[in-house]
Amino acid sequence: MKNRKNLIMLFSLAITLSLTGVYASTAVNESTDSNSTVSSEKAENKIKVETRLNTVWQDIKKTHNINENDYIDLDIGKLNQFLSGKLEGYTDKDLIDEMNKILAENLFNAPVGSTKPKILLNKAGNEIVFAYKESDGKNTLNVFRKTEKNVLTPEVKSSNDVLFENIVQKSEGDPIPELAPTIWLN
């Protein structure tokens, strides 16, 4: 009788552990599937946003006749290199300090509903540009151009060492495109 009782308890324990293992593996698989779906959606959304921003940039380039060969696109990596003085050819501390001030004061000054600004640095190091599309479709360039100290106009931003003229250029452009559905090719 005692052996039978032990056998039943052992059998019950085995079934319980088996069910727990099945549940755990199902939960892990569901979690993995859920994470995979979330990752896939994030990747798809990233592609949609990048496509939209590229379309906007092409329209801005066209309406303002921007020659990309004259500028360095300061994506987040290059922007960090520039601000830390590690971007090749741009190590002038005064220029970096002034550009840092301009970035801090103007990076988030685009009107509500505008696209993320593209930040361009003139290869000569005398101009920084924020290019974005406003919610009404206007293509806007907010240009900060190094000027001579003796040029004093209301548009000139001044500091102790360097003067930068702020010029805003707007032109009619296409409306901000909708986020297009992503087509996956297998």
Side-chain angles (χ1 to χ4, degrees):
M1 182 79 161
K2 208 176 191 184
N3 283 339
R4 189 174 180 170
K5 209 177 200 182
N6 285 340
L7 190 59
I8 292 173
M9 281 183 59
L10 185 60
F11 185 68
S12 297
L13 182 62
I15 290 174
T16 304
L17 289 175
S18 297
L19 291 176
T20 304
V22 169
Y23 173 74
S25 68
T26 303
V28 167
N29 286 338
E30 287 175 3
S31 173
T32 304
D33 290 345
S34 174
N35 288 341
S36 175
T37 301
V38 170
S39 297
S40 173
E41 287 176 14
K42 283 184 180 180
E44 186 176 335
N45 286 338
K46 183 176 181 180
I47 290 168
K48 288 178 184 179
V49 169
E50 287 174 356
T51 301
R52 176 192 239 181
L53 289 174
N54 186 47
T55 301
V56 165
W57 172 236
Q58 297 307 317
D59 188 40
I60 292 171
K61 268 191 341 185
K62 183 177 81 179
T63 59
H64 287 285
N65 296 319
I66 295 173
N67 182 355
E68 282 184 285
N69 294 328
D70 295 339
Y71 296 92
I72 295 173
D73 181 359
L74 292 180
D75 61 18
I76 193 69
K78 286 183 183 173
L79 180 61
N80 286 333
Q81 286 179 342
F82 174 72
L83 294 176
S84 64
K86 296 177 183 172
L87 185 62
E88 189 177 333
Y90 301 93
T91 56
D92 178 358
K93 185 169 175 16
D94 292 334
L95 174 66
I96 292 169
D97 289 344
E98 280 305 309
M99 293 292 191
N100 197 8
K101 288 178 196 172
I102 290 169
L103 285 165
E105 293 172 6
N106 295 283
L107 186 57
F108 300 106
N109 281 348
V112 173
S114 299
T115 60
K116 172 184 160 192
K118 188 176 217 36
I119 304 170
L120 305 170
L121 176 64
N122 181 279
K123 288 185 178 177
N126 59 6
E127 180 178 272
I128 192 163
V129 178
F130 298 94
Y132 56 91
K133 183 179 283 289
E134 295 182 20
S135 61
D136 63 0
K138 282 193 178 78
N139 293 326
T140 303
L141 298 182
N142 197 355
V143 181
F144 293 87
R145 191 172 293 138
K146 197 174 188 178
T147 63
E148 298 294 324
K149 284 188 176 188
N150 58 4
V151 178
L152 296 176
T153 64
E155 297 86 29
V156 174
K157 305 260 184 185
S158 64
S159 75
N160 297 335
D161 300 319
V162 184
L163 296 175
F164 280 85
E165 180 180 18
N166 181 6
I167 303 165
V168 177
Q169 301 172 0
K170 296 184 180 205
S171 64
E172 291 300 321
D174 296 332
I176 295 176
E178 295 295 321
L179 286 175
T182 304
I183 300 171
W184 294 99
L185 301 174
N186 292 328

